[in-house]
């Protein structure tokens, strides 16, 4: 089971990386937030030696081994909701999340 | 499900702690809002994908919400009196200032505004169907529209905003802008000079080093700034400009040309609006096309069918383009630089799209200007970057931003002269202190008058505030030490405090500038200062000598009252009195040429009192040696 990007998300990430530089996108899960876990999405300047790498539509996704169990099979999408646009996690592991969706539980 | 943005390594925010911050370019013609998305500053567009929000507000009857932006602009010709545009020109201005604004250029645009002006305390207001609206309220409506756009795009309430203002805005205008933001429910992180914001946008993206000029020709204002960029640190070396020159003036030229060429008779407010819109469209078309057609049929069946060529347009506006170069030269001179030192020129403002403007800039600076970023968006983008940093979404101290105060700040001294405490183009935030003293013996209070401007005389500068320091212990003139501190915060707002050093009594004023009451046109203030430097210097010399003369008269009179009877014969007393009267007479009737006569009269009094001064000295020494005074004092203490 890996983690993937939708084509739309990959395009956006590539645009950002082209402007900013960096080796890829780091996806992590932190134990915080009102419902247990929270996602973190950061630019990656280098890969750590424990990192797991996934390639998706030409973008390198870096995930630390501790985070991986929480996000296995997740698809990262880039969506537009009205004027608001940003990244959305389609995570099959999630059992419930807080009302705002910023944090979740497995 | 909330949507996430990509953060810099190690900087992802905890849930519910995203600090949403925006940069707002509150322009005369158009306004924009921008924010940082996944590390990149971008302008936030509306539902229709438009970045610019025309700074136009249409007020409606029966408490209906005002219409802001494109819709208001489209209906402007139908509702000229209730559709307010270019309102930024009125920020912090009184009705009395409007004439000043108009006749700076030969086109009296303010006078041509089809509005019903109401002179309300402090700032001019406009009567609309929705009641009297001040420029602050109108600006607040524009800012509210931008805030809503940003909040729906960012999906949450804003932590704060950075709002840009022209470098030439004085304290009253800056305060008015802050008030408008507060009214719109925005937390102002800071106000940022527009050219500085442009430099932020360019400097960070391109990591350039060297001296840069920011040439900002917007809808209503022209600013030129000379900046030094080195290793990500910005320093504004000098700013200059013209607070009443912009794209609107170019529109007015075309408008006047249309009226003259089509032989129109006194167009009413509707027709005027319509023609101004046509003029603006024609100007924009000529940035890419060589000719453009202007056709319209007005309500009173007068027809307009004209063709405007770029050559004709350039000819109509050549003097406006030329007017940008004078402040440019001055800014370079203030910075102590020449054209050769300038490494690059940044163009800001939609009006810099005009080929004639670009050509003129390229010719003056002998290089093609930079246009990497959209000149309409560059200011908002820089403001967004600054807002992002200030809101704490970025590691601090990565870059520092130095700004300058546009006009000197000072204090009134005897003789109606201005003592400058913070010179113009000082980097801010800053604090400067200077010591002052009393003029009269036994003086227990001091009135402090805070002024802004480049001229030497109080009457020619702008009054910002007055306050009093009371409770100074009685001392002889010149013995008290009063330390006056001027402090400008990061928003270019001023606080002044005065402290008597021996007792520590203190008085402070935070300058809540009276909105433009005695305001003068800023650009003119600077031009005047340069043009009349010599006359000002002469006047200052005269005033200084007059003050010196008065001080001598006071001192002589005090000495006469004390020892005149004992030490001088009646003829000697008359002789000194005659010199006092002569000097007083010259001071009262003095004009610019009488410095010599005044000095001569001072010298005459001086020599006439020399003998008297010597006798007083002798008497003083005698008294001290005999110790009589000390005994007297001792006796008083025992008996009292």
């Amino acid at each position: 089971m890996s983690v993937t990007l939708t084509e739309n998300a990959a395009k956006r990430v590539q645009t950002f990386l082209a402007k900013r530089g960096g080796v890829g996108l780091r996806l992590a899960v932190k134990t915080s937030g009102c419902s247990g876990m929270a996602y973190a999405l950061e630019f990656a300047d280098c890969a750590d030696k424990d990192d797991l790498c996934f390639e998706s539509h030409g973008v390198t996704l870096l995930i630390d081994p501790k985070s991986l169990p929480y996000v296995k099979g997740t698809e990262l999408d880039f969506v537009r909701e009205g004027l608001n646009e940003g990244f959305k996690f389609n995570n099959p592991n999630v059992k419930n999340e807080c009302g705002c969706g910023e944090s979740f539980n497995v | 499900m909330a949507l996430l943005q990509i953060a810099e390594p190690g900087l992802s925010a905890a849930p519910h702690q995203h600090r949403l911050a925006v940069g707002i370019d509150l322009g005369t013609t158009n306004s924009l809002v921008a924010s940082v998305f996944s590390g990149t500053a971008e302008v936030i567009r509306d539902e229709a994908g438009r970045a610019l929000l025309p700074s136009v507000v249409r007020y409606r009857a029966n408490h209906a919400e005002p219409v802001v932006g494109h819709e208001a602009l489209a209906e402007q010709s139908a509702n000229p009196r209730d559709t307010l545009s270019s309102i930024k020109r009125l920020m912090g201005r009184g009705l009395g200032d409007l004439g000043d604004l108009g006749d700076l250029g030969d086109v009296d645009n303010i006078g041509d505004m089809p509005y019903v002006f109401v002179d309300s305390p402090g700032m001019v207001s406009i009567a609309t169907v929705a009641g009297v609206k001040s420029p602050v309220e109108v600006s607040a409506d524009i800012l509210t529209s931008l805030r809503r756009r940003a909040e729906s795009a960012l999906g949450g309430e804003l932590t704060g905003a950075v709002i840009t203002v022209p470098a030439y805005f004085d304290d009253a205008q800056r305060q008015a802008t802050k008030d408008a933001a507060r009214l719109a429910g925005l937390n102002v992180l800071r106000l940022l000079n527009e050219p500085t914001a442009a430099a932020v946008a360019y400097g960070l993206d391109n990591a350039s080093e060297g001296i840069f000029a920011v040439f900002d020709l917007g809808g209503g204002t022209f600013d030129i700034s000379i900046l030094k960029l080195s290793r990500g640190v910005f320093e504004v070396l000098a700013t200059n400009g013209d607070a009443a020159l912009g794209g609107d003036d170019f529109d007015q030229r075309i408008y006047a040309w249309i009226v003259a060429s089509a032989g129109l008779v006194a167009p009413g407010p509707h027709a005027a609006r319509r023609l101004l819109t046509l003029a603006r469209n024609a100007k924009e078309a000529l940035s890419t096309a060589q000719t453009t057609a202007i056709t319209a049929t007005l309500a009173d069946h007068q027809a307009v069918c004209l063709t405007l060529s770029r050559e004709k347009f350039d000819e109509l506006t050549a003097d406006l383009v030329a007017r940008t170069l004078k402040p440019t030269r001055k800014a370079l001179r203030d910075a102590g630089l020449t054209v050769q030192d300038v490494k690059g020129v940044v163009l800001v403002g939609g009006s810099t799209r005009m080929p004639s403007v670009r050509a003129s800039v390229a010719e003056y600076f002998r290089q093609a200007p930079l246009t990497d970023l959209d000149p309409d968006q560059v200011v908002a983008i820089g403001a967004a970057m600054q807002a992002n940093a200030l809101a704490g979404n970025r590691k601090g101290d990565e870059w520092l931003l130095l700004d300058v105060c546009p006009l000197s700040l000072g204090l009134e001294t005897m003789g109606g002269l201005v003592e400058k405490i913070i010179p113009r183009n000082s980097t801010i935030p800053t604090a400067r202190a200077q010591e002052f003293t009393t003029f009269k013996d036994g003086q227990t209070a001091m009135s402090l008058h805070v002024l802004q401007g480049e001229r030497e005389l109080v009457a020619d500068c702008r009054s910002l505030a007055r306050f009093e320091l009371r409770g100074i212990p009685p001392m002889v003139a010149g013995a008290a030490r009063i330390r006056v501190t001027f402090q400008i915060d990061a928003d270019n707002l001023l606080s002044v405090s005065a402290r008597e050093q021996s007792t520590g009594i203190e008085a402070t004023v935070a300058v809540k500038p009276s909105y433009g009451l005695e305001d003068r046109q800023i650009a003119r203030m600077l031009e005047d200062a340069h043009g009349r430097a010599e006359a000002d210097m002469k006047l200052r010399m005269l005033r200084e000598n007059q003050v010196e003369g008065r001080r001598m008269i006071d001192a002589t009179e005090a000495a006469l009252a004390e020892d005149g009877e004992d030490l001088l014969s009646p003829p000697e007393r008359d002789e000194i009195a005659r010199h006092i009267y002569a000097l007083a007479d010259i001071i009262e009737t003095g004009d610019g040429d009488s410095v010599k006569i005044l000095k001569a009269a001072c010298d005459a009094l001086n020599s006439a009192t020399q003998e008297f001064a010597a006798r007083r000295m002798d008497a003083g020494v005698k008294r001290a040696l005999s110790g009589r005074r000390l005994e007297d004092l001792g006796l008083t203490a025992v008996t009292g």
Side-chain angles (χ1 to χ4, degrees):
Chain A
M1 281 291 260
S2 68
V3 176
T4 55
L5 290 170
T6 64
E7 207 177 322
N8 205 4
K11 259 194 222 159
R12 288 305 286 216
V13 174
Q14 275 171 336
T15 317
F16 288 136
L17 284 174
K19 271 193 196 169
R20 186 197 167 275
V23 298
L25 186 65
R26 174 176 300 282
L27 207 161
V29 171
K30 290 183 183 170
T31 51
S32 68
C34 46
S35 190
M37 304 287 171
Y39 299 111
L41 207 51
E42 297 176 356
F43 292 110
D45 288 320
C46 59
D48 291 338
K49 68 175 177 8
D50 297 336
D51 279 344
L52 292 127
C53 295
F54 299 96
E55 282 284 326
S56 183
H57 294 288
V59 174
T60 306
L61 274 169
L62 300 171
I63 301 170
D64 65 282
K66 272 181 75 186
S67 295
L68 188 64
Y70 300 101
V71 292
K72 267 185 193 169
T74 293
E75 185 194 54
L76 190 59
D77 197 5
F78 188 85
V79 295
R80 169 179 267 274
E81 288 173 0
L83 287 180
N84 191 3
E85 50 182 17
F87 294 91
K88 187 172 184 163
F89 288 81
N90 296 317
N91 186 348
N93 307 299
V94 170
K95 295 220 173 61
N96 49 51
E97 51 184 40
C98 77
C100 63
E102 280 199 44
S103 58
F104 64 96
N105 224 322
V106 290
Chain B
M1 163 88 212
L3 301 181
L4 282 170
Q5 305 294 331
I6 310 173
E8 286 294 312
L11 286 176
S12 5
H16 310 294
Q17 288 187 4
H18 292 295
R19 300 169 70 84
L20 304 174
V22 295
I24 293 178
D25 175 3
L26 183 62
T28 309
T29 319
N30 292 298
S31 296
L32 296 97
V33 58
S35 191
V36 173
F37 298 92
S38 299
T40 313
E42 273 175 52
V43 165
I44 302 173
R45 294 170 185 276
D46 66 3
E47 288 86 346
R50 296 172 297 205
L52 296 177
L53 177 78
S55 304
V56 180
V57 183
R58 185 195 152 201
Y59 287 97
R60 299 186 290 178
N62 307 322
H63 306 288
E65 280 242 327
V67 181
V68 182
H70 293 279
E71 291 73 21
L73 183 66
E75 293 167 354
Q76 194 167 24
S77 4
N79 305 279
R81 282 182 203 283
D82 297 316
T83 308
L84 311 184
S85 63
S86 292
I87 214 73
K88 186 174 169 183
R89 291 195 158 191
L90 306 180
M91 286 292 264
R93 300 272 181 215
L95 192 58
D97 298 319
L98 298 190
D100 269 12
L101 283 179
D103 52 52
L104 195 85
D106 44 356
V107 182
D108 189 358
N109 358 23
I110 301 289
D112 279 359
M113 281 181 159
Y115 307 135
V116 182
F117 290 111
V118 181
D119 196 12
S120 45
M123 208 188 310
V124 66
S125 293
I126 295 161
T128 70
V129 282
V132 173
K133 296 286 173 188
S134 75
V136 168
E137 289 171 275
V138 181
S139 300
D141 285 324
I142 297 167
L143 289 171
T144 303
S145 173
L146 292 171
R147 176 174 61 83
R148 287 190 189 139
R149 185 197 283 194
E151 285 181 346
S152 81
L154 297 169
E157 232 177 78
L158 299 182
T159 306
V162 167
I163 300 178
T164 60
V165 290
Y168 265 75
F169 259 26
D170 63 20
D171 289 345
Q173 292 164 306
R174 281 168 203 270
Q175 189 61 50
T177 307
K178 275 195 149 183
D179 291 350
R182 203 164 38 240
L183 214 55
L186 284 168
N187 168 33
V188 182
L189 296 170
R190 75 170 282 181
L191 299 178
L192 188 64
N193 283 342
E194 286 160 10
T196 311
V200 170
Y202 264 104
L204 287 180
D205 280 5
N206 304 349
S208 308
E209 300 208 344
I211 304 290
F212 283 77
V214 181
F215 185 98
D216 178 355
L217 189 59
T221 52
F222 168 64
D223 280 306
I224 179 82
S225 302
I226 308 299
L227 311 167
K228 191 170 152 194
L229 277 70
S230 55
R231 276 172 286 121
V233 177
F234 292 81
E235 189 179 2
V236 185
L237 298 178
T239 69
N240 210 307
D242 189 332
L245 176 66
D248 293 354
D249 300 306
F250 290 77
D251 299 346
Q252 288 282 350
R253 287 294 165 85
I254 301 181
Y255 167 79
W257 176 80
I258 295 172
V259 171
S261 304
L264 301 179
V265 189
H270 286 74
R273 270 287 151 223
R274 179 86 194 284
L275 292 172
L276 265 176
T277 309
L278 285 174
R280 184 178 302 179
N281 293 342
K283 176 188 72 178
E284 286 169 9
L286 286 175
S287 286
T288 47
Q290 289 297 328
T291 61
T292 185
I294 301 167
T295 53
T297 309
L298 303 177
D300 55 1
H301 303 298
Q302 295 193 89
V304 176
C305 185
L306 297 164
T307 303
L308 181 60
S309 68
R310 192 186 283 177
E311 286 76 25
K312 183 68 195 170
F313 172 65
D314 290 350
E315 183 192 316
L316 291 171
T317 57
D319 63 310
L320 294 177
V321 176
R323 258 171 66 194
T324 60
L325 295 181
K326 200 173 171 188
T328 304
R329 274 192 289 272
K330 278 185 189 155
L332 271 176
R333 208 182 310 139
D334 280 353
L337 297 168
T338 63
V339 168
Q340 282 79 18
D341 298 317
V342 178
K343 192 178 162 196
V345 186
V346 177
L347 290 188
V348 182
S351 302
T352 59
R353 288 205 181 87
M354 283 187 271
S356 57
V357 172
R358 288 195 175 185
S360 152
V361 171
E363 194 191 341
Y364 180 75
F365 285 102
R366 291 170 222 161
Q367 58 182 296
L370 295 174
T371 47
D372 299 4
L373 298 175
D374 183 328
D376 279 323
Q377 299 185 1
V378 58
V379 168
I381 284 173
M385 290 164 127
Q386 175 88 4
N388 194 46
L390 288 173
N393 292 332
R394 224 189 124 96
K395 270 181 230 155
D397 64 55
E398 271 183 40
W399 41 278
L400 174 71
L401 193 60
L402 298 174
D403 224 333
V404 299
C405 69
L407 291 169
S408 301
L409 295 160
L411 214 54
E412 174 170 356
T413 58
M414 286 305 296
L417 295 171
V418 181
E419 179 78 24
K420 292 189 181 105
I421 310 284
I422 298 184
R424 151 183 157 68
N425 283 332
S426 300
T427 52
I428 58 165
T430 187
R432 303 259 178 119
Q434 194 162 322
E435 280 197 355
F436 289 89
T437 188
T438 47
F439 182 75
K440 293 257 186 195
D441 288 341
Q443 183 178 338
T444 57
M446 189 181 240
S447 168
L448 294 113
H449 185 191
V450 183
L451 294 138
Q452 185 176 37
E454 304 312 308
R455 303 289 298 275
E456 299 291 334
L457 296 189
V458 169
D460 296 322
C461 285
R462 179 171 185 271
S463 171
L464 287 181
R466 282 171 194 276
F467 67 108
E468 282 193 352
L469 179 68
R470 294 186 171 279
I472 302 169
M475 289 181 238
V476 290
R481 283 164 57 223
I482 290 137
R483 193 173 178 79
V484 178
T485 309
F486 275 55
Q487 193 166 356
I488 310 182
D489 70 10
D491 294 325
N492 216 348
L493 294 172
L494 172 73
S495 63
V496 180
S497 64
R499 184 187 163 90
E500 201 284 312
Q501 296 294 73
S502 66
T503 55
I505 54 152
E506 201 169 322
T508 304
V509 68
V511 175
K512 291 249 179 201
S514 47
Y515 287 125
L517 276 179
E518 288 177 40
D519 197 9
R520 298 267 176 111
Q521 226 294 322
I522 303 279
R524 175 186 284 176
M525 283 171 75
L526 278 173
E527 274 186 21
D528 281 357
H530 289 287
R532 295 177 197 168
E534 203 164 313
D536 269 8
M537 196 191 74
K538 274 190 186 154
L539 258 175
R540 173 174 268 276
M541 274 174 61
L542 176 65
R543 294 292 177 92
E544 278 173 353
N545 277 297
Q546 285 174 348
V547 171
E548 177 59 20
R550 279 199 197 99
R551 202 195 54 73
M552 274 178 70
I553 293 174
D554 281 358
T556 313
E557 280 177 342
L560 279 176
E562 206 175 308
D563 296 324
E565 295 279 337
D566 301 339
L567 301 177
L568 295 172
S569 66
E572 282 171 330
R573 282 207 297 274
D574 289 347
E575 173 69 6
I576 290 174
R578 199 169 55 74
H579 282 291
I580 290 177
Y581 293 139
L583 180 57
D585 198 42
I586 288 165
I587 290 172
E588 290 313 314
T589 59
D591 58 46
D593 296 325
S594 70
V595 174
K596 267 189 200 158
I597 307 171
L598 191 55
K599 272 193 170 160
C602 284
D603 290 345
L605 178 60
N606 211 4
S607 52
T609 54
Q610 242 163 19
E611 177 58 29
F612 179 36
R615 282 186 212 165
R616 288 193 82 207
M617 187 77 85
D618 286 348
V621 170
K622 242 181 242 164
R623 271 201 294 264
L625 286 178
S626 72
R628 208 191 319 157
R629 262 205 152 174
L630 286 173
E631 269 169 37
D632 285 350
L633 274 173
L635 281 173
T636 314
V638 171
T639 55

